[in-house]
Amino acid sequence: MPAAARDADGRDHEAARADQTGTLPNDGPALRAGTDVGVAELQTIADRIRERFDEVDTTTARGELTVFVPAERIRDVVRFCKEDEELACELLSDVSGVHWPGGEHVVEPQLSTTGWPPNRLTRDRGTIEVTYHLLSMSNNHRLRLVVAVNDDPQALPTVPSVTSVYPTADFHEREVYDFFGVHFDGHPNLVRILMPEEWDGYPQRKDYPLGGVDTDYHGAFIPPPDERVWSRDVPGAGGGKVGP
Amino acid sequence: MSVDERTGAAGYGGSDDEIWVSGADWEVLEDAVTEGRLTVNVGPQHPSTHGVLRLVVELEGETVMSVEPVIGYLHTGIEKNTEYRTWTQGTTFVTRMDYLSPFFNEVAYCLAVEKLLGIDAPPRAQAVRVIMMELNRIASHLVWLATGGFELGAISMMIYGFRERENILDVFEAQTGLRMNHGYVRPGGLAADVTADFAQQCRDVISYLPERLAEYEDLLEQNPIFIHRTQDVGVLEADDAIRYGVTGPLLRAAGADWDLRKAQPYCGYEQYDFDVATETGADTYARFLVRMQEMRESMRIIDQAVDALPDGPVMVEDKKIAWPAQLGLGPDGIGNDPTYIRHIMGESMEALIHHFKLVTEGFAVPPGQVYVPVESPRGELGYHVVSNGTTKPYRVHVRDPSFVNLQSIDHMSRGHMVADLIAIIATLDPVMGGVDR
């Protein structure tokens, strides 16, 4: 494992990797649904990518290979994955985003139910991980590329578009832009795809509330599930929220 | 990259043809009406667009010059909603995405959760999942046959297709209580065991269907109108299909032998003997043949799976994960089994605690991320599920095949007539619930 890649933007792959492997043992079988590639073979693929690009970082968990790529290299890495004979990823299956806000997060996996200890994660800065899933039909393997960008919408997080390599990325990248506010440099038509064009905000971000529903019944409002109060708010009855 | 000065749309020139995918909205296109060209808006409310798909079509006379899909009218925020519910509740959301193939959504989601947990559903649950998925594939293809035939003018197909599908939905209703949006597959197994006559119900369906399918095939295959309306319409060669990310029957009709059930088996598909249906025509007619063949192959799988249905539990043994409800017929209809209620209320404190904790909070899932694809009736349905170690999904993203396949509509329609556009929408078989999610 080379040292964690940090680019000029200070983007941190270390934090991302903490979520990859977690602090818990993963003792599940290495080969499960959705993958039939041996771990050894994944290692070969990982080595091949690392050989070609020394700024990438790889990790293998649950029989899936994840490659962390600095944003400015993503187009080169994707092109390499497509054109290289051993990798031969003809199909870009999916592009999605995951928002990891900055600050300290305490993950409470419910000691009483699972027996797992709480898990503290500190992130110096929030990131949005743009995740690409590549599939090689000829060699029958998959791999995942992860690009982490700053999550501050004011900073215009930008990733080079891969539509010139995989035309199918068009809709996918529009979707990530629509929901996370990540801009794809070189995309032919970066407009919202599922939300209306005049929509304000990026709904899949963690700081964007789910929102409740107005009803016609006496002007009642149904709050979103994370804000619902399940018991009647009687003073002294400790009417609180259920759940975290 | 080249930009079309008229419409502002942009694309990449390929080696021998050009790739044009993206659309612009109406305001941009309004200025694009030039001499002899007409921009027509189809949808979002139009009987032939399979839901709320909107197409902005540019015509020259009756020839389609470009098609731009505008989507999002059925966006329901399901991916966001799952982040506020427990892992088990997630199944009730994802099953509503691609509402013609709910079992595929449920199974793919549950396989992803199980992969994160590092568990495997018991063999009986896996086999029932396979049977349900294949029944669902037939049901989904029957809807395609009904609507697709209907849109080409074979009105009787509409009635026949939906009639046969109803029999399959009856099996679903008998087993899950619902005709669609079942919520039957759960992380760790199934919500309830199948009934004693499940095997017989499946055999009934696959005993009369082949005969009926052959009849419908005769109706269409030998029909000169159907042949003229489908042959050489909407050609999408395999290399173009892969560039657009198109998978499933459309890719197989172009000669590519790619089926995830064979290539990357899940749920024990490697135990069953079936063939991957391929054709070389790459047109709408070839896709018709592929889908008809797929229904027959699904019946073969169901036949084998029903015969070899293993005994045993349908939920993992782990009480920390297994959904505790034991469904039964109570005095007030469907609900928890009275024996089970007596057990948790009067006999076992531990069972009560497990029930309470799992139903109110759910189980925690180890941190990590997985991508689990399955072969849905429309192509690769992939779930990218991320956990941060809590009892709720951190992120669920769905790679819905309808969403991706829709990008090829422009490529397939250029140069065809408007009437062919309808056939091309039908052959894509998009489900807007899946496209917009």
Side-chain angles (χ1 to χ4, degrees):
Chain A
M1 269 305 161
R6 269 179 193 274
D7 52 19
D9 202 359
R11 290 188 285 238
D12 184 6
H13 293 305
E14 198 62 60
R17 208 169 41 252
D19 297 297
Q20 285 297 313
T21 48
T23 52
L24 303 165
N26 174 30
D27 48 8
L31 291 183
R32 303 181 36 82
T35 170
D36 60 350
V37 178
V39 174
E41 196 180 328
L42 287 182
Q43 203 52 53
T44 318
I45 297 168
D47 292 342
R48 197 166 172 82
I49 296 179
R50 275 216 306 273
E51 213 171 284
R52 173 76 178 70
F53 301 95
D54 47 10
E55 58 273 77
V56 305
D57 199 357
T58 59
T59 173
T60 310
R62 295 184 173 85
E64 295 187 17
L65 172 67
T66 308
V67 183
F68 298 97
V69 184
E72 62 274 9
R73 295 309 305 271
I74 182 67
R75 203 177 291 166
D76 302 333
V77 174
V78 159
R79 183 166 283 125
F80 175 72
C81 290
K82 186 179 183 181
E83 290 167 2
D84 182 69
E85 272 180 31
E86 263 184 59
L87 300 175
C89 295
E90 301 92 350
L91 183 76
L92 175 71
S93 277
D94 181 34
V95 182
S96 69
V98 185
H99 182 209
W100 299 95
E104 185 173 358
H105 305 276
V106 182
V107 176
E108 286 278 6
Q110 280 145 1
L111 205 56
S112 51
T113 332
T114 57
W116 296 345
N119 185 359
R120 281 179 191 278
L121 287 175
T122 311
R123 290 175 170 276
D124 301 340
R125 56 190 311 160
T127 55
I128 292 173
E129 288 183 354
V130 183
T131 310
Y132 302 78
H133 290 100
L134 273 57
L135 163 68
S136 169
M137 293 175 169
S138 42
N139 298 349
N140 202 11
H141 60 245
R142 292 178 184 275
L143 60 101
R144 175 188 302 127
L145 306 177
V146 174
V147 173
V149 289
N150 187 343
D151 75 336
D152 182 11
Q154 304 306 319
L156 289 185
T158 305
V159 180
S161 168
V162 299
T163 44
S164 53
V165 187
Y166 291 112
T168 181
D170 182 332
F171 271 22
H172 290 303
E173 288 180 353
R174 279 175 67 186
E175 192 187 345
V176 175
Y177 162 74
D178 194 353
F179 287 135
F180 294 93
V182 177
H183 291 257
F184 288 91
D185 187 25
H187 188 284
N189 181 34
L190 198 66
V191 292
R192 286 188 180 271
I193 184 165
L194 294 179
M195 305 304 284
E197 271 186 43
E198 63 277 5
W199 194 265
D200 192 27
Y202 300 108
Q204 289 281 12
R205 295 171 54 94
K206 289 287 173 181
D207 48 16
Y208 189 100
L210 183 61
V213 183
D214 284 316
T215 69
D216 288 342
Y217 183 75
H218 297 290
F221 173 76
I222 300 178
D226 54 332
E227 295 172 18
R228 282 177 202 167
V229 176
W230 293 92
S231 57
R232 203 179 295 170
D233 214 350
V234 183
K241 292 189 293 186
V242 168
Chain B
M1 189 176 83
S2 48
V3 176
D4 187 336
E5 288 172 6
R6 267 180 320 88
T7 60
Y12 289 95
S15 48
D16 49 352
D17 61 331
E18 288 210 329
I19 296 281
W20 296 82
V21 180
S22 262
D25 210 350
W26 193 251
E27 290 73 24
V28 185
L29 289 160
E30 263 185 335
D31 316 329
V33 181
T34 51
E35 195 66 37
R37 291 220 172 178
L38 178 67
T39 309
V40 178
N41 178 66
V42 182
Q45 307 288 349
H46 188 275
S48 74
T49 54
H50 289 237
V52 283
L53 171 63
R54 178 175 156 216
L55 298 172
V56 178
V57 190
E58 198 178 79
L59 299 173
E60 196 163 283
E62 210 187 327
T63 309
V64 175
M65 304 309 285
S66 74
V67 181
E68 284 157 2
V70 182
I71 60 177
Y73 292 93
L74 205 61
H75 178 61
T76 38
I78 287 175
E79 290 177 8
K80 179 91 175 168
N81 262 298
T82 53
E83 296 169 14
Y84 291 80
R85 305 299 200 293
T86 64
W87 290 95
T88 306
Q89 284 172 316
T91 54
T92 48
F93 277 90
V94 299
T95 188
R96 284 163 170 76
M97 288 188 185
D98 187 343
Y99 45 77
L100 289 182
S101 50
F103 276 113
F104 293 89
N105 290 298
E106 292 175 25
V107 170
Y109 170 80
C110 291
L111 286 175
V113 179
E114 286 162 14
K115 192 171 177 181
L116 279 166
L117 286 163
I119 58 169
D120 268 320
R124 185 175 173 87
Q126 302 277 28
V128 172
R129 285 175 183 187
V130 167
I131 297 169
M132 290 299 191
M133 279 196 285
E134 294 309 322
L135 282 170
N136 203 166
R137 190 184 309 274
I138 299 171
S140 175
H141 281 347
L142 282 168
V143 173
W144 154 81
L145 187 66
T147 54
F150 179 75
E151 280 152 14
L152 297 177
I155 309 236
S156 48
M157 275 320 302
M158 183 88 176
I159 297 156
Y160 297 147
F162 276 105
R163 182 182 67 187
E164 307 316 346
R165 169 175 177 258
E166 205 58 37
N167 293 313
I168 295 175
L169 296 190
D170 285 346
V171 178
F172 290 164
E173 190 175 2
Q175 300 308 327
T176 71
L178 292 160
R179 295 167 76 251
M180 52 206 302
N181 306 336
H182 314 274
Y184 178 66
V185 181
R186 302 279 171 86
L190 306 171
D193 201 351
V194 292
T195 57
D197 57 353
F198 173 63
Q200 192 51 48
Q201 288 172 350
C202 294
R203 286 201 187 91
D204 287 348
V205 166
I206 57 177
S207 62
Y208 71 83
L209 254 184
E211 198 183 316
R212 301 268 175 94
L213 283 182
E215 196 180 312
Y216 306 147
E217 221 162 8
D218 288 348
L219 274 177
L220 295 174
E221 252 182 9
Q222 325 241 344
N223 184 321
I225 298 175
F226 183 80
I227 291 170
H228 283 295
R229 289 291 307 272
T230 53
Q231 272 186 343
D232 297 326
V233 169
V235 174
L236 184 69
E237 296 293 350
D239 53 348
D240 284 331
I242 291 170
R243 278 155 84 183
Y244 284 115
V246 174
T247 46
L250 281 89
L251 182 60
R252 289 191 282 273
D257 182 7
W258 178 257
D259 189 321
L260 288 171
R261 293 174 296 172
K262 282 277 190 211
Q264 300 174 353
Y266 50 94
C267 285
Y269 267 109
E270 64 277 6
Q271 306 162 26
Y272 307 111
D273 173 36
F274 66 101
D275 298 320
V276 177
T278 53
E279 289 286 335
T280 51
D283 58 4
T284 304
Y285 187 70
R287 289 164 210 148
F288 162 76
L289 296 177
V290 163
R291 287 193 172 107
M292 293 308 265
Q293 187 56 32
E294 274 186 15
M295 287 196 247
R296 295 201 175 85
E297 296 298 335
S298 292
M299 284 183 242
R300 276 178 67 191
I301 297 173
I302 294 166
D303 195 28
Q304 296 166 50
V306 167
D307 284 347
L309 189 63
D311 289 330
V314 292
M315 186 53 104
V316 287
E317 298 289 333
D318 188 349
K319 290 290 176 217
K320 305 275 186 210
I321 292 167
W323 188 253
Q326 305 298 318
L327 293 182
L329 276 179
D332 54 349
I334 290 181
N336 263 332
D337 189 36
T339 333
Y340 173 72
I341 293 178
R342 196 174 316 121
H343 172 65
I344 60 170
M345 298 303 283
E347 293 166 5
S348 167
M349 175 58 87
E350 198 188 8
L352 178 65
I353 292 170
H354 275 142
H355 187 116
F356 178 77
K357 291 294 272 186
L358 278 171
V359 174
T360 54
E361 291 178 0
F363 49 83
V365 169
Q369 58 177 336
V370 291
Y371 178 77
V372 175
V374 303
E375 185 70 38
S376 97
R378 286 161 196 80
E380 179 180 312
L381 173 69
Y383 273 72
H384 177 216
V385 178
V386 185
S387 169
N388 63 341
T390 56
T391 57
K392 296 183 172 70
Y394 190 77
R395 170 91 168 105
V396 176
H397 174 77
V398 185
R399 184 254 193 230
D400 192 272
S402 305
F403 174 79
V404 185
N405 293 358
L406 210 52
Q407 296 183 86
S408 64
I409 196 165
D410 180 62
H411 177 94
M412 286 201 274
S413 314
R414 283 183 177 225
H416 281 303
M417 300 278 147
V418 185
D420 292 336
L421 178 62
I422 305 303
I424 289 164
I425 299 171
T427 190
L428 270 173
D429 196 20
V431 171
M432 297 318 288
V435 173
D436 293 339
R437 301 188 300 286

